[in-house]
PDB file of all heavy atoms in Angstrom:
ATOM      1  N   LEU C 165     -18.008   4.324  32.215  1.00 78.00           N
ATOM      2  CA  LEU C 165     -17.969   4.124  30.754  1.00 78.00           C
ATOM      3  C   LEU C 165     -17.162   5.268  30.123  1.00 78.00           C
ATOM      4  O   LEU C 165     -17.546   6.387  30.210  1.00 78.00           O
ATOM      5  CB  LEU C 165     -19.381   4.058  30.168  1.00 78.00           C
ATOM      6  CG  LEU C 165     -19.514   3.584  28.712  1.00 78.00           C
ATOM      7  CD1 LEU C 165     -19.024   2.175  28.497  1.00 78.00           C
ATOM      8  CD2 LEU C 165     -20.873   3.904  28.158  1.00 78.00           C
ATOM      9  N   ARG C 167     -15.529   6.797  26.697  1.00 74.00           N
ATOM     10  CA  ARG C 167     -15.473   6.686  25.257  1.00 74.00           C
ATOM     11  C   ARG C 167     -14.128   6.956  24.754  1.00 74.00           C
ATOM     12  O   ARG C 167     -13.470   7.914  25.003  1.00 74.00           O
ATOM     13  CB  ARG C 167     -16.368   7.732  24.574  1.00 74.00           C
ATOM     14  CG  ARG C 167     -16.376   7.755  23.081  1.00 74.00           C
ATOM     15  CD  ARG C 167     -17.267   8.858  22.469  1.00 74.00           C
ATOM     16  NE  ARG C 167     -18.725   8.794  22.967  1.00 74.00           N
ATOM     17  CZ  ARG C 167     -19.547   9.690  22.685  1.00 74.00           C
ATOM     18  NH1 ARG C 167     -19.260  10.783  21.936  1.00 74.00           N
ATOM     19  NH2 ARG C 167     -20.850   9.538  23.140  1.00 74.00           N
ATOM     20  N   GLY C 174     -18.929  10.129  14.061  1.00 57.00           N
ATOM     21  CA  GLY C 174     -19.899   9.953  15.171  1.00 57.00           C
ATOM     22  C   GLY C 174     -20.905   8.937  14.965  1.00 57.00           C
ATOM     23  O   GLY C 174     -21.772   8.726  15.715  1.00 57.00           O
ATOM     24  N   GLN C 175     -20.824   8.057  13.883  1.00 72.00           N
ATOM     25  CA  GLN C 175     -21.793   6.968  13.671  1.00 72.00           C
ATOM     26  C   GLN C 175     -21.538   5.799  14.591  1.00 72.00           C
ATOM     27  O   GLN C 175     -22.404   5.027  14.762  1.00 72.00           O
ATOM     28  CB  GLN C 175     -21.761   6.630  12.248  1.00 72.00           C
ATOM     29  CG  GLN C 175     -22.238   7.758  11.249  1.00 72.00           C
ATOM     30  CD  GLN C 175     -23.636   8.256  11.686  1.00 72.00           C
ATOM     31  OE1 GLN C 175     -24.427   7.549  11.793  1.00 72.00           O
ATOM     32  NE2 GLN C 175     -23.742   9.630  11.789  1.00 72.00           N
ATOM     33  N   ALA C 176     -20.256   5.598  15.020  1.00 78.00           N
ATOM     34  CA  ALA C 176     -19.959   4.483  15.983  1.00 78.00           C
ATOM     35  C   ALA C 176     -18.833   4.946  16.829  1.00 78.00           C
ATOM     36  O   ALA C 176     -18.055   5.735  16.440  1.00 78.00           O
ATOM     37  CB  ALA C 176     -19.685   3.279  15.204  1.00 78.00           C
ATOM     38  N   SER C 177     -18.806   4.477  18.025  1.00 79.00           N
ATOM     39  CA  SER C 177     -17.764   4.808  18.915  1.00 79.00           C
ATOM     40  C   SER C 177     -17.265   3.571  19.725  1.00 79.00           C
ATOM     41  O   SER C 177     -18.059   2.582  19.892  1.00 79.00           O
ATOM     42  CB  SER C 177     -18.158   5.923  19.934  1.00 79.00           C
ATOM     43  OG  SER C 177     -19.190   5.470  20.711  1.00 79.00           O
ATOM     44  N   SER C 179     -15.953   2.285  23.230  1.00 84.00           N
ATOM     45  CA  SER C 179     -15.989   2.612  24.742  1.00 84.00           C
ATOM     46  C   SER C 179     -15.425   1.459  25.585  1.00 84.00           C
ATOM     47  O   SER C 179     -15.441   0.272  25.191  1.00 84.00           O
ATOM     48  CB  SER C 179     -17.401   2.926  25.130  1.00 84.00           C
ATOM     49  OG  SER C 179     -18.001   3.945  24.469  1.00 84.00           O
ATOM     50  N   ARG C 198     -28.317  -8.169  28.439  1.00 93.00           N
ATOM     51  CA  ARG C 198     -29.056  -7.703  27.225  1.00 93.00           C
ATOM     52  C   ARG C 198     -28.473  -6.297  26.885  1.00 93.00           C
ATOM     53  O   ARG C 198     -28.825  -5.317  27.585  1.00 93.00           O
ATOM     54  CB  ARG C 198     -30.508  -7.728  27.431  1.00 93.00           C
ATOM     55  CG  ARG C 198     -31.119  -9.189  27.579  1.00 93.00           C
ATOM     56  CD  ARG C 198     -32.553  -9.130  27.611  1.00 93.00           C
ATOM     57  NE  ARG C 198     -33.150 -10.438  27.487  1.00 93.00           N
ATOM     58  CZ  ARG C 198     -33.399 -11.168  26.448  1.00 93.00           C
ATOM     59  NH1 ARG C 198     -33.065 -10.627  25.303  1.00 93.00           N
ATOM     60  NH2 ARG C 198     -33.926 -12.347  26.552  1.00 93.00           N
ATOM     61  N   LEU C 199     -27.783  -6.214  25.857  1.00 93.00           N
ATOM     62  CA  LEU C 199     -27.175  -4.891  25.490  1.00 93.00           C
ATOM     63  C   LEU C 199     -28.186  -4.110  24.585  1.00 93.00           C
ATOM     64  O   LEU C 199     -29.082  -4.692  23.942  1.00 93.00           O
ATOM     65  CB  LEU C 199     -25.920  -5.121  24.626  1.00 93.00           C
ATOM     66  CG  LEU C 199     -24.756  -5.850  25.373  1.00 93.00           C
ATOM     67  CD1 LEU C 199     -23.584  -6.043  24.492  1.00 93.00           C
ATOM     68  CD2 LEU C 199     -24.319  -5.006  26.605  1.00 93.00           C
ATOM     69  N   PRO C 200     -27.996  -2.761  24.529  1.00 92.00           N
ATOM     70  CA  PRO C 200     -28.901  -1.975  23.742  1.00 92.00           C
ATOM     71  C   PRO C 200     -28.738  -2.259  22.269  1.00 92.00           C
ATOM     72  O   PRO C 200     -27.759  -2.929  21.890  1.00 92.00           O
ATOM     73  CB  PRO C 200     -28.382  -0.539  24.045  1.00 92.00           C
ATOM     74  CG  PRO C 200     -27.565  -0.611  25.295  1.00 92.00           C
ATOM     75  CD  PRO C 200     -27.015  -1.949  25.322  1.00 92.00           C
ATOM     76  N   GLU C 201     -29.723  -1.939  21.488  1.00 90.00           N
ATOM     77  CA  GLU C 201     -29.587  -2.144  20.001  1.00 90.00           C
ATOM     78  C   GLU C 201     -28.421  -1.330  19.485  1.00 90.00           C
ATOM     79  O   GLU C 201     -28.055  -0.186  19.999  1.00 90.00           O
ATOM     80  CB  GLU C 201     -30.930  -1.557  19.316  1.00 90.00           C
ATOM     81  CG  GLU C 201     -30.986  -1.865  17.908  1.00 90.00           C
ATOM     82  CD  GLU C 201     -32.358  -1.429  17.301  1.00 90.00           C
ATOM     83  OE1 GLU C 201     -33.263  -0.919  18.087  1.00 90.00           O
ATOM     84  OE2 GLU C 201     -32.431  -1.491  16.115  1.00 90.00           O
ATOM     85  N   ASP C 202     -27.768  -1.869  18.526  1.00 89.00           N
ATOM     86  CA  ASP C 202     -26.638  -1.210  17.933  1.00 89.00           C
ATOM     87  C   ASP C 202     -25.407  -1.125  18.785  1.00 89.00           C
ATOM     88  O   ASP C 202     -24.594  -0.203  18.796  1.00 89.00           O
ATOM     89  CB  ASP C 202     -26.919   0.229  17.334  1.00 89.00           C
ATOM     90  CG  ASP C 202     -28.014   0.158  16.235  1.00 89.00           C
ATOM     91  OD1 ASP C 202     -27.988  -0.824  15.449  1.00 89.00           O
ATOM     92  OD2 ASP C 202     -28.832   0.999  16.238  1.00 89.00           O
ATOM     93  N   THR C 203     -25.314  -2.058  19.656  1.00 92.00           N
ATOM     94  CA  THR C 203     -24.119  -2.142  20.693  1.00 92.00           C
ATOM     95  C   THR C 203     -23.622  -3.580  20.738  1.00 92.00           C
ATOM     96  O   THR C 203     -24.377  -4.573  20.770  1.00 92.00           O
ATOM     97  CB  THR C 203     -24.590  -1.787  22.130  1.00 92.00           C
ATOM     98  OG1 THR C 203     -25.057  -0.440  22.085  1.00 92.00           O
ATOM     99  CG2 THR C 203     -23.453  -1.811  23.116  1.00 92.00           C
ATOM    100  N   VAL C 204     -22.282  -3.772  20.562  1.00 93.00           N
ATOM    101  CA  VAL C 204     -21.645  -5.010  20.539  1.00 93.00           C
ATOM    102  C   VAL C 204     -20.517  -5.036  21.436  1.00 93.00           C
ATOM    103  O   VAL C 204     -19.712  -4.103  21.608  1.00 93.00           O
ATOM    104  CB  VAL C 204     -21.061  -5.263  19.082  1.00 93.00           C
ATOM    105  CG1 VAL C 204     -20.360  -6.640  19.068  1.00 93.00           C
ATOM    106  CG2 VAL C 204     -22.181  -5.197  18.131  1.00 93.00           C
ATOM    107  N   PHE C 231     -16.590  -2.083  24.023  1.00 90.00           N
ATOM    108  CA  PHE C 231     -17.903  -2.102  23.230  1.00 90.00           C
ATOM    109  C   PHE C 231     -17.777  -1.118  22.017  1.00 90.00           C
ATOM    110  O   PHE C 231     -17.102  -0.084  22.036  1.00 90.00           O
ATOM    111  CB  PHE C 231     -19.019  -1.382  24.151  1.00 90.00           C
ATOM    112  CG  PHE C 231     -19.363  -2.185  25.402  1.00 90.00           C
ATOM    113  CD1 PHE C 231     -18.787  -1.799  26.583  1.00 90.00           C
ATOM    114  CD2 PHE C 231     -20.269  -3.268  25.302  1.00 90.00           C
ATOM    115  CE1 PHE C 231     -19.082  -2.506  27.735  1.00 90.00           C
ATOM    116  CE2 PHE C 231     -20.527  -3.933  26.485  1.00 90.00           C
ATOM    117  CZ  PHE C 231     -19.982  -3.600  27.707  1.00 90.00           C
ATOM    118  N   LEU C 232     -18.488  -1.553  21.025  1.00 87.00           N
ATOM    119  CA  LEU C 232     -18.660  -0.768  19.804  1.00 87.00           C
ATOM    120  C   LEU C 232     -20.234  -0.368  19.828  1.00 87.00           C
ATOM    121  O   LEU C 232     -21.037  -1.333  20.056  1.00 87.00           O
ATOM    122  CB  LEU C 232     -18.434  -1.381  18.539  1.00 87.00           C
ATOM    123  CG  LEU C 232     -17.053  -1.246  17.931  1.00 87.00           C
ATOM    124  CD1 LEU C 232     -16.919  -2.083  16.605  1.00 87.00           C
ATOM    125  CD2 LEU C 232     -16.673   0.144  17.609  1.00 87.00           C
ATOM    126  N   SER C 233     -20.566   0.946  19.764  1.00 89.00           N
ATOM    127  CA  SER C 233     -22.008   1.257  19.868  1.00 89.00           C
ATOM    128  C   SER C 233     -22.133   2.562  19.115  1.00 89.00           C
ATOM    129  O   SER C 233     -21.176   3.258  18.723  1.00 89.00           O
ATOM    130  CB  SER C 233     -22.416   1.471  21.333  1.00 89.00           C
ATOM    131  OG  SER C 233     -21.689   2.474  21.968  1.00 89.00           O
ATOM    132  N   VAL C 234     -23.436   3.017  18.998  1.00 86.00           N
ATOM    133  CA  VAL C 234     -23.731   4.273  18.490  1.00 86.00           C
ATOM    134  C   VAL C 234     -24.055   5.226  19.634  1.00 86.00           C
ATOM    135  O   VAL C 234     -24.417   4.831  20.745  1.00 86.00           O
ATOM    136  CB  VAL C 234     -25.049   4.221  17.650  1.00 86.00           C
ATOM    137  CG1 VAL C 234     -24.737   3.355  16.407  1.00 86.00           C
ATOM    138  CG2 VAL C 234     -26.138   3.746  18.221  1.00 86.00           C
ATOM    139  N   PRO C 235     -23.888   6.577  19.470  1.00 81.00           N
ATOM    140  CA  PRO C 235     -24.006   7.485  20.523  1.00 81.00           C
ATOM    141  C   PRO C 235     -25.319   7.368  21.253  1.00 81.00           C
ATOM    142  O   PRO C 235     -25.468   7.587  22.463  1.00 81.00           O
ATOM    143  CB  PRO C 235     -23.765   8.906  19.906  1.00 81.00           C
ATOM    144  CG  PRO C 235     -22.912   8.556  18.775  1.00 81.00           C
ATOM    145  CD  PRO C 235     -23.353   7.261  18.337  1.00 81.00           C
ATOM    146  N   ASP C 236     -26.440   7.171  20.407  1.00 86.00           N
ATOM    147  CA  ASP C 236     -27.800   7.103  21.056  1.00 86.00           C
ATOM    148  C   ASP C 236     -27.912   5.905  22.061  1.00 86.00           C
ATOM    149  O   ASP C 236     -28.837   6.075  22.862  1.00 86.00           O
ATOM    150  CB  ASP C 236     -28.876   6.867  19.947  1.00 86.00           C
ATOM    151  CG  ASP C 236     -28.916   8.198  19.090  1.00 86.00           C
ATOM    152  OD1 ASP C 236     -28.402   9.224  19.508  1.00 86.00           O
ATOM    153  OD2 ASP C 236     -29.503   8.104  17.975  1.00 86.00           O
ATOM    154  N   ALA C 237     -27.094   4.976  21.981  1.00 88.00           N
ATOM    155  CA  ALA C 237     -27.238   3.836  22.837  1.00 88.00           C
ATOM    156  C   ALA C 237     -26.334   3.944  24.108  1.00 88.00           C
ATOM    157  O   ALA C 237     -26.456   3.106  25.078  1.00 88.00           O
ATOM    158  CB  ALA C 237     -26.707   2.564  22.215  1.00 88.00           C
ATOM    159  N   GLU C 238     -25.565   5.024  24.184  1.00 86.00           N
ATOM    160  CA  GLU C 238     -24.648   5.103  25.391  1.00 86.00           C
ATOM    161  C   GLU C 238     -25.395   5.261  26.691  1.00 86.00           C
ATOM    162  O   GLU C 238     -24.995   4.600  27.696  1.00 86.00           O
ATOM    163  CB  GLU C 238     -23.759   6.305  25.148  1.00 86.00           C
ATOM    164  CG  GLU C 238     -22.636   6.452  26.124  1.00 86.00           C
ATOM    165  CD  GLU C 238     -21.565   7.450  25.706  1.00 86.00           C
ATOM    166  OE1 GLU C 238     -20.945   7.339  24.649  1.00 86.00           O
ATOM    167  OE2 GLU C 238     -21.501   8.511  26.433  1.00 86.00           O
ATOM    168  N   ALA C 239     -26.376   6.050  26.798  1.00 88.00           N
ATOM    169  CA  ALA C 239     -27.147   6.228  28.070  1.00 88.00           C
ATOM    170  C   ALA C 239     -27.657   4.990  28.574  1.00 88.00           C
ATOM    171  O   ALA C 239     -27.577   4.605  29.778  1.00 88.00           O
ATOM    172  CB  ALA C 239     -28.302   7.257  27.924  1.00 88.00           C
ATOM    173  N   GLU C 240     -28.328   4.104  27.717  1.00 92.00           N
ATOM    174  CA  GLU C 240     -28.863   2.829  28.074  1.00 92.00           C
ATOM    175  C   GLU C 240     -27.679   1.935  28.506  1.00 92.00           C
ATOM    176  O   GLU C 240     -27.824   1.145  29.499  1.00 92.00           O
ATOM    177  CB  GLU C 240     -29.666   2.221  27.012  1.00 92.00           C
ATOM    178  CG  GLU C 240     -30.444   0.902  27.358  1.00 92.00           C
ATOM    179  CD  GLU C 240     -31.254   0.334  26.231  1.00 92.00           C
ATOM    180  OE1 GLU C 240     -31.339   1.047  25.178  1.00 92.00           O
ATOM    181  OE2 GLU C 240     -31.730  -0.770  26.420  1.00 92.00           O
ATOM    182  N   LEU C 241     -26.676   1.850  27.780  1.00 91.00           N
ATOM    183  CA  LEU C 241     -25.527   1.099  28.127  1.00 91.00           C
ATOM    184  C   LEU C 241     -24.963   1.397  29.549  1.00 91.00           C
ATOM    185  O   LEU C 241     -24.638   0.497  30.303  1.00 91.00           O
ATOM    186  CB  LEU C 241     -24.417   1.191  27.125  1.00 91.00           C
ATOM    187  CG  LEU C 241     -23.149   0.324  27.259  1.00 91.00           C
ATOM    188  CD1 LEU C 241     -23.540  -1.202  27.307  1.00 91.00           C
ATOM    189  CD2 LEU C 241     -22.086   0.543  26.179  1.00 91.00           C
ATOM    190  N   ARG C 242     -24.829   2.698  29.838  1.00 88.00           N
ATOM    191  CA  ARG C 242     -24.448   3.155  31.141  1.00 88.00           C
ATOM    192  C   ARG C 242     -25.304   2.607  32.272  1.00 88.00           C
ATOM    193  O   ARG C 242     -24.942   2.051  33.288  1.00 88.00           O
ATOM    194  CB  ARG C 242     -24.356   4.658  31.274  1.00 88.00           C
ATOM    195  CG  ARG C 242     -23.264   5.321  30.537  1.00 88.00           C
ATOM    196  CD  ARG C 242     -23.370   6.840  30.656  1.00 88.00           C
ATOM    197  NE  ARG C 242     -22.251   7.549  29.992  1.00 88.00           N
ATOM    198  CZ  ARG C 242     -21.072   7.731  30.489  1.00 88.00           C
ATOM    199  NH1 ARG C 242     -20.883   7.341  31.767  1.00 88.00           N
ATOM    200  NH2 ARG C 242     -20.132   8.295  29.809  1.00 88.00           N
ATOM    201  N   SER C 243     -26.695   2.658  31.957  1.00 90.00           N
ATOM    202  CA  SER C 243     -27.628   2.118  32.926  1.00 90.00           C
ATOM    203  C   SER C 243     -27.433   0.665  33.173  1.00 90.00           C
ATOM    204  O   SER C 243     -27.519   0.096  34.260  1.00 90.00           O
ATOM    205  CB  SER C 243     -29.034   2.444  32.445  1.00 90.00           C
ATOM    206  OG  SER C 243     -30.025   1.868  33.346  1.00 90.00           O
ATOM    207  N   ILE C 244     -27.315  -0.140  32.158  1.00 92.00           N
ATOM    208  CA  ILE C 244     -27.113  -1.566  32.219  1.00 92.00           C
ATOM    209  C   ILE C 244     -25.852  -1.922  33.044  1.00 92.00           C
ATOM    210  O   ILE C 244     -25.873  -2.892  33.922  1.00 92.00           O
ATOM    211  CB  ILE C 244     -27.107  -2.183  30.839  1.00 92.00           C
ATOM    212  CG1 ILE C 244     -28.434  -2.063  30.103  1.00 92.00           C
ATOM    213  CG2 ILE C 244     -26.653  -3.687  30.947  1.00 92.00           C
ATOM    214  CD1 ILE C 244     -28.402  -2.458  28.719  1.00 92.00           C
ATOM    215  N   LEU C 245     -24.810  -1.177  32.805  1.00 90.00           N
ATOM    216  CA  LEU C 245     -23.587  -1.511  33.489  1.00 90.00           C
ATOM    217  C   LEU C 245     -23.484  -0.849  34.837  1.00 90.00           C
ATOM    218  O   LEU C 245     -22.557  -1.199  35.668  1.00 90.00           O
ATOM    219  CB  LEU C 245     -22.402  -0.981  32.681  1.00 90.00           C
ATOM    220  CG  LEU C 245     -22.223  -1.561  31.273  1.00 90.00           C
ATOM    221  CD1 LEU C 245     -21.161  -0.813  30.490  1.00 90.00           C
ATOM    222  CD2 LEU C 245     -21.852  -3.068  31.285  1.00 90.00           C
ATOM    223  N   ALA C 247     -22.994   2.311  35.433  1.00 80.00           N
ATOM    224  CA  ALA C 247     -22.095   3.433  35.333  1.00 80.00           C
ATOM    225  C   ALA C 247     -22.668   4.732  35.710  1.00 80.00           C
ATOM    226  O   ALA C 247     -23.912   4.944  35.412  1.00 80.00           O
ATOM    227  CB  ALA C 247     -21.549   3.538  33.982  1.00 80.00           C
TER     228      ALA C 247
END
Side-chain angles (χ1 to χ4, degrees):
L165 186 69
R167 184 182 299 174
Q175 296 305 306
S177 62
S179 301
R198 293 189 174 275
L199 296 175
E201 188 177 356
D202 298 323
T203 300
V204 179
F231 297 96
L232 270 179
S233 65
V234 295
D236 291 345
E238 190 171 291
E240 185 179 351
L241 182 59
R242 287 179 179 273
S243 176
I244 292 169
L245 298 172

